[in-house]
Amino acid sequence: MNRPYQLPIDRIDAVPRPVVAAGAAYEDGTLLHWHSHRRAQLLYGVSGLMQVVTEDGAWVVPPRPPAAPTSSRRRRRAPATVARCWR
């Protein structure tokens, strides 16, 4: 990867939809300036590792979406109260 790829934020914010999907790629060590968006963000990394820092805290974004194939057996553990947004 020669340089980071990112759609210009004005193109993303101009889309007249409540939810928009957008992609980006960053080289190792990339640090973005402090910024905000008109919409909330749901971040995940297809590969690599991200750290997100806000005024309220810091999180590590795992290197792949937290999804399980439909055919895989699974179980969940909730060490604290959890609200799910799907059924």
Side-chain angles (χ1 to χ4, degrees):
M1 186 178 338
N2 294 332
R3 60 184 192 159
Y5 166 76
Q6 186 173 4
L7 288 172
I9 192 63
D10 58 336
R11 284 187 54 198
I12 297 169
D13 274 348
V15 175
R17 295 186 180 136
V19 177
V20 177
Y26 302 102
E27 289 184 350
D28 187 20
T30 297
L31 177 64
L32 300 180
H33 64 278
W34 285 98
H35 63 282
S36 61
H37 299 278
R38 185 172 67 88
R39 296 179 181 92
Q41 283 189 301
L42 173 63
L43 296 173
Y44 77 89
V46 174
S47 64
L49 189 67
M50 285 186 283
Q51 180 186 34
V52 178
V53 178
T54 71
E55 295 169 337
D56 299 319
W59 297 266
V60 173
V61 180
R64 62 180 261 205
T70 57
S71 61
S72 68
R73 290 184 50 184
R74 65 197 71 137
R75 67 181 189 175
R76 290 189 188 100
R77 180 177 172 287
T81 302
V82 174
R84 289 177 40 193
C85 60
W86 67 88
R87 295 197 180 260

